[in-house]
Amino acid sequence: QAYDYRYSSKEASSTRNVIFYDVKSGRSRKLLPNDNAVIIDTRELREDDPQGTKPPKALLFSFIEKDANGDGVLNRDDGVTLALAQANGEGLTRIDEASGQLKGEILVTAANEIVVMTEREGALKALHIDLATFKVTKSEAVVR
């Protein structure tokens, strides 16, 4: 959640879903089937493009799906789900191997993959994910 403190009030907001709208067809749809999750990060995976004319290769989402610890609050303590989707929002695929905290990502355009760095229980690992299939092709421990 994002908090905005003001002189006598507090404002809080959470992103619960993402809506995709097709300007040609007029159709719209949601990324997630319901609004029960909290989306904490959305990233467009783009190759270097100084003019900014190329569409993203994919979208990377971080969200919290359930109150795993039963405290009545959806936050990072409940576990973060990482998922990839096509640039139009279709094909949402959860990356189960990426449980933990997202530390960064690198788009490797020549190999049509993304390398995601995650940390869980003090262990850092690099996941190589194919952007055509959203499958993990390699998982390697990273020396600290």
Side-chain angles (χ1 to χ4, degrees):
Q1 286 193 329
Y3 292 97
D4 181 17
Y5 291 97
R6 300 198 179 168
Y7 179 69
S8 74
S9 70
K10 174 189 106 176
E11 183 181 310
S13 64
S14 298
T15 302
R16 297 299 215 155
N17 217 326
V18 177
I19 296 173
F20 292 88
Y21 177 76
D22 185 331
V23 295
K24 289 183 181 177
S25 70
R27 285 181 277 178
S28 61
R29 66 184 152 62
K30 291 182 176 185
L31 176 72
L32 301 171
N34 56 51
D35 298 339
N36 297 336
V38 173
I39 299 173
I40 55 176
D41 192 27
T42 303
R43 299 181 189 192
E44 292 182 348
L45 304 176
R46 295 179 176 273
E47 43 185 302
D48 290 332
D49 178 19
Q51 286 75 34
T53 57
K54 294 181 182 177
K57 290 279 196 182
L59 303 173
L60 177 64
F61 295 95
S62 300
F63 51 93
I64 301 158
E65 296 189 85
K66 62 183 176 188
D67 181 15
N69 61 9
D71 66 357
V73 179
L74 291 177
N75 59 28
R76 292 180 189 272
D77 295 338
D78 296 308
V80 176
T81 299
L82 293 179
L84 288 165
Q86 297 169 15
N88 64 2
E90 294 179 352
L92 183 70
T93 304
R94 286 159 180 78
I95 310 299
D96 295 328
E97 296 93 330
S99 63
Q101 185 178 17
L102 176 66
K103 291 299 196 177
E105 77 283 339
I106 303 164
L107 182 63
V108 185
T109 307
N112 197 39
E113 73 177 6
I114 179 175
V115 179
V116 175
M117 305 293 281
T118 63
E119 181 178 28
R120 182 175 180 192
E121 298 174 357
L124 190 63
K125 67 179 173 179
L127 299 172
H128 295 248
I129 304 168
D130 180 67
L131 289 176
T133 63
F134 297 149
K135 302 272 187 225
V136 175
T137 59
K138 185 174 14 173
S139 176
E140 297 182 322
V142 177
V143 177
R144 298 193 114 186

